[in-house]
Amino acid sequence: MSLVERNALPVAYTWDAHSVFGDDTAWQAALDEVTSHIEGLQAFQGRLAEGPAVLADYLELAEHVLRLSGKVSVYARMFYAVNTLDQTAKARVDRAASLQVRLGTATAFSGPELLALGAATLQQWVAQEPRLVIFAHHFDRLHRSAPHVRSAEVEALLRQASEPFDAAATVHGILTNADLRFEPARDQTGETYELAQGNINALVTHIDPAVRKSAWHNYADAHLALKNTMATCLATEVRRNVFLARARSYRSALDAALTPNHIPLEVFHQLIATFKRHLPTWHRYWRLRRRVLGGQPLHVYDTKAPLTQQPLKVPYNQAVTWICEGMAPLGEEYVSTMRRGLVEQRWVDVYPNRGKRAGAFSMGSPGTHPFIMMSYNDDIFGLSTLAHELGHSMHSYYTRSTQPYVYSNYGLFLAEVASNFNQALVRKHLLERLTSRDEQITLLEEAMANFHRYFFIMPTLARFELAIHERIEAGQALTADDLIKLMADLFAEGYGDEVVVDRERVGSTWMQFSTHLYANFYVYQYATGISGAHALAEGVLAQHEGAVERYLAFLKAGSSRYPLDTLRHAGVDMSSAEPVEQTFAVMEQYIERLEALLG
């Protein structure tokens, strides 16, 4: 069984890149226009103190240029993400990235100049100039960051360095998405299954244990063959994070990741402590799996093995219908907007193809549709991924439809709330609709697979991420063997005595996240996100007064408030461990239901 070429996919199941720009010529014209404005932006350097009108003029021009450059980047990424073998697309991505660096360098003076004006002056100007009113919260954020903003000259230098600083992530991404070659998986009869980034999840959940084992082994082995290069990439990324933290006078790389987003460090450490307390819950789940699968030693490649011989098939169009039904509690406007994006506006690039990059994600910018890249495999896990990414996309849709450009990005801490909220609502709907024993088992398996990713893999990666940053901060080295051993130790703790840990292959897990570990302390937010999502979903499903309105207001808020304040307005306090504890309680309920169904 092999993957199709990109040009063999029906257009209806590919995303509509030409809704961003009609063709490459239009894209080039937009890139040229952005380039032509760079000198105009630089002309404002040293002038922002002249008065509120000058400042407003600068901010208006900057917004126009940044909007257009965002579209330039989106269009370029859309072609490369779905075919990493396309060198023309790769060149387009590189040009867009270089443009972003030039823009960042050209506007680096604005932060230091605004800070030099002082908070009192900016408040006075906001009162005087109507065009500045919307920037009041933005200026407040800026002044809170004052201890970490350097001079205009240093800021410009740091912006210029961002492109070479991104090299480690770029190299790792090319290795994993374009250059890795995987041996095919094989079933018990010897039939081969082409293995690629686009279908690994389908193969490791296959009903045939031989397919699962060979896919998992071959996927890990391909990464391990490049372990030294990949270790060098990750160590370089960590050193970059530590350097930037020190350059901006943060206490640590963790502090540099959380403080600009106004997230107390205690939120991170509280999450990790709560996760470690609940490791016995995971051991209980692995024990259940081992018993149901025959009592033999449970291997990591069996942690997603189907627990029923009748797994649920979910064609893409059926998934669209069920997701729309599941999201009905949010109202007709939400559902009709989502359905239109799925059916008419081609938001989603649906199926796997040769060369498609790993994973799934939602992307876009002000002035474009939200877009989703995934590799749908006609199963319940594909439906869940689609629901998850639609949560991101609808968050983007509402934020960009409501907020001015300056608040049109809601930030990572909030992002994973919306995505997991969608999964929670759709899962609840399907558990009520599909009532046979096999259907219920399959749905609960999906729930546990989602928890496995967000409440097991991601907190484990967060612990790993903290440890490797602390090692570099202490002047220690990071070799491939160091990283593999650390990763294997952490997973061994999580699997307990219930799962056989192939230390080399399990220890390679860090190599398999080409985005997540190259976004400084991103992964912990998956666990906080699923916790906030379940707390908010509970209120909507229980029809608490105002719960729907508060959630829609959350989607529309963007970055117009600080993240914890936005969540408090929606009805959940993420500065407390309570939402994380409550979500572990939800997971325990799923395990109990599985235990009852499986006997």
Side-chain angles (χ1 to χ4, degrees):
M1 296 183 181
S2 60
L3 292 169
V4 302
E5 297 297 333
R6 175 69 184 173
N7 58 13
L9 293 173
V11 172
Y13 295 106
T14 62
W15 55 15
D16 187 8
H18 293 298
S19 67
V20 182
F21 291 109
D23 53 30
D24 293 353
T25 301
W27 176 82
Q28 179 64 54
L31 186 146
D32 291 342
E33 180 181 346
V34 172
T35 302
S36 72
H37 283 301
I38 289 177
E39 188 174 334
L41 289 168
Q42 290 173 320
F44 281 93
Q45 185 167 0
R47 295 188 55 214
L48 299 188
E50 290 180 12
V54 172
L55 176 58
D57 289 343
Y58 167 75
L59 292 172
E60 283 185 349
L61 177 60
E63 176 180 332
H64 170 73
V65 177
L66 290 169
R67 277 181 178 273
L68 192 55
S69 70
K71 294 179 66 177
V72 166
S73 293
V74 168
Y75 183 87
R77 290 175 61 200
M78 290 179 79
F79 289 94
Y80 184 62
V82 297
N83 189 0
T84 59
L85 305 175
D86 183 343
Q87 293 303 297
T88 300
K90 176 64 170 65
R92 201 181 291 129
V93 166
D94 289 346
R95 292 182 65 199
S98 294
L99 182 67
Q100 293 294 336
V101 171
R102 292 183 64 193
L103 268 179
T105 303
T107 57
F109 68 88
S110 62
E113 286 195 26
L114 291 174
L115 287 173
L117 284 169
T121 297
L122 284 174
Q123 288 173 0
Q124 183 181 6
W125 286 8
V126 166
Q128 293 174 359
E129 171 56 72
R131 291 181 294 166
L132 295 180
V133 170
I134 61 172
F135 291 96
H137 178 67
H138 173 71
F139 294 152
D140 184 63
R141 281 178 176 260
L142 179 64
H143 279 283
R144 291 195 184 197
S145 70
H148 310 291
V149 176
R150 304 295 300 273
S151 68
E153 182 181 11
V154 173
E155 287 293 334
L157 185 62
L158 290 174
R159 298 292 179 90
Q160 289 179 37
S162 63
E163 190 170 16
F165 277 171
D166 287 339
T170 301
V171 170
H172 187 271
I174 291 172
L175 284 174
T176 56
N177 293 311
D179 288 349
L180 278 190
R181 295 293 179 266
F182 304 101
E183 290 296 316
R186 296 181 181 273
D187 64 17
Q188 293 177 354
T189 69
E191 182 178 358
T192 61
Y193 295 71
E194 183 177 1
L195 174 60
Q197 298 290 8
N199 70 347
I200 178 62
N201 288 330
L203 295 177
V204 296
T205 58
H206 201 279
I207 198 166
D208 186 334
V211 173
R212 293 196 305 272
K213 178 179 179 179
S214 60
W216 189 78
H217 278 183
N218 294 347
Y219 190 74
D221 289 348
H223 287 82
L224 285 165
L226 295 173
K227 67 179 184 179
N228 294 315
T229 303
M230 291 191 173
T232 300
C233 286
L234 186 57
T236 300
E237 177 71 13
V238 173
R239 290 189 178 94
R240 159 207 160 139
N241 294 337
V242 171
F243 166 77
L244 289 174
R246 290 171 175 168
R248 295 194 178 280
S249 302
Y250 288 103
R251 292 170 289 174
S252 64
L254 178 65
D255 184 30
L258 271 65
T259 297
N261 295 313
H262 307 277
I263 307 297
L265 269 63
E266 291 73 20
V267 170
F268 178 93
H269 294 299
Q270 185 172 255
L271 167 70
I272 298 303
T274 306
F275 168 71
K276 291 170 68 176
R277 263 198 319 275
H278 284 277
L279 283 176
T281 304
W282 280 110
H283 300 162
R284 175 184 176 183
Y285 178 58
W286 309 133
R287 190 157 50 248
L288 169 65
R289 275 195 157 271
R290 182 163 60 84
R291 178 175 59 78
V292 172
L293 293 174
Q296 299 301 315
L298 185 72
H299 294 269
V300 175
Y301 51 78
D302 293 322
T303 56
K304 295 183 180 180
L307 296 177
T308 170
Q309 296 300 303
Q310 300 294 327
L312 186 63
K313 290 291 183 183
V314 188
Y316 178 75
N317 291 335
Q318 180 65 76
V320 170
T321 298
W322 281 347
I323 290 170
C324 289
E325 290 174 356
M327 300 311 298
L330 293 187
E332 176 57 27
E333 180 193 23
Y334 184 99
V335 174
S336 62
T337 299
M338 186 171 63
R339 184 184 288 111
R340 185 166 59 251
L342 290 165
V343 176
E344 299 174 19
Q345 296 173 334
R346 289 172 49 206
W347 288 4
V348 187
D349 204 87
V350 180
Y351 292 114
N353 61 259
R354 187 169 289 111
K356 199 170 192 178
R357 61 152 288 176
F361 60 86
S362 174
M363 66 178 288
S365 70
T368 78
H369 297 311
F371 294 106
I372 294 168
M373 194 219 76
M374 64 179 303
S375 293
Y376 194 85
N377 288 300
D378 285 356
D379 56 23
I380 192 64
F381 305 105
L383 177 149
S384 180
T385 299
L386 179 60
H388 179 99
E389 298 304 335
L390 280 167
H392 289 311
S393 291
M394 292 303 292
H395 196 179
S396 297
Y397 171 84
Y398 274 107
T399 290
R400 293 167 187 161
S401 299
T402 306
Q403 294 296 331
Y405 180 84
V406 68
Y407 305 127
S408 61
N409 181 13
Y410 38 76
L412 296 178
F413 193 82
L414 300 180
E416 295 304 326
V417 174
S419 54
N420 282 280
F421 178 95
N422 272 32
Q423 288 172 289
L425 256 64
V426 173
R427 188 178 300 125
K428 174 70 171 178
H429 168 70
L430 293 179
L431 283 168
E432 292 175 351
R433 178 185 179 121
L434 307 176
T435 57
S436 75
R437 177 180 178 274
D438 284 331
E439 289 171 336
Q440 289 280 298
I441 291 171
T442 299
L443 291 170
L444 291 168
E445 279 191 89
E446 178 281 317
M448 288 305 300
N450 193 55
F451 273 83
H452 176 240
R453 181 171 176 82
Y454 298 115
F455 241 34
F456 183 77
I457 298 290
M458 294 303 176
T460 301
L461 287 175
R463 297 176 68 189
F464 172 84
E465 191 173 18
L466 179 63
I468 62 178
H469 280 82
E470 288 179 340
R471 289 189 185 187
I472 292 297
E473 286 166 344
Q476 299 175 12
L478 284 179
T479 67
D481 290 342
D482 293 333
L483 294 169
I484 289 169
K485 179 181 184 302
L486 173 61
M487 187 94 274
D489 287 345
L490 291 171
F491 273 114
E493 184 181 353
Y495 287 126
D497 296 330
E498 306 300 331
V499 181
V500 177
V501 175
D502 179 335
R503 289 186 60 85
E504 278 286 303
R505 293 187 173 109
V506 171
S508 75
T509 302
W510 57 269
M511 306 180 203
Q512 301 169 23
F513 285 82
S514 59
T515 299
H516 304 77
L517 291 178
Y518 290 85
N520 197 18
F521 288 96
Y522 175 21
V523 292
Y524 86 95
Q525 294 167 109
Y526 282 96
T528 57
I530 197 174
S531 301
H534 276 81
L536 296 178
E538 181 181 349
V540 170
L541 292 169
Q543 299 182 341
H544 291 166
E545 185 177 356
V548 169
E549 291 73 17
R550 286 192 297 272
Y551 182 72
L552 292 175
F554 158 77
L555 295 182
K556 296 174 182 177
S559 58
S560 62
R561 296 191 186 100
Y562 295 108
L564 292 182
D565 291 341
T566 298
L567 286 169
R568 288 190 187 100
H569 277 82
V572 58
D573 182 6
M574 288 307 301
S575 67
S576 160
E578 184 178 358
V580 183
E581 294 282 3
Q582 290 175 338
T583 306
F584 265 111
V586 171
M587 191 181 89
E588 288 189 72
Q589 292 171 10
Y590 289 146
I591 296 172
E592 289 169 1
R593 291 177 68 173
L594 273 173
E595 288 172 338
L597 285 164
L598 292 165

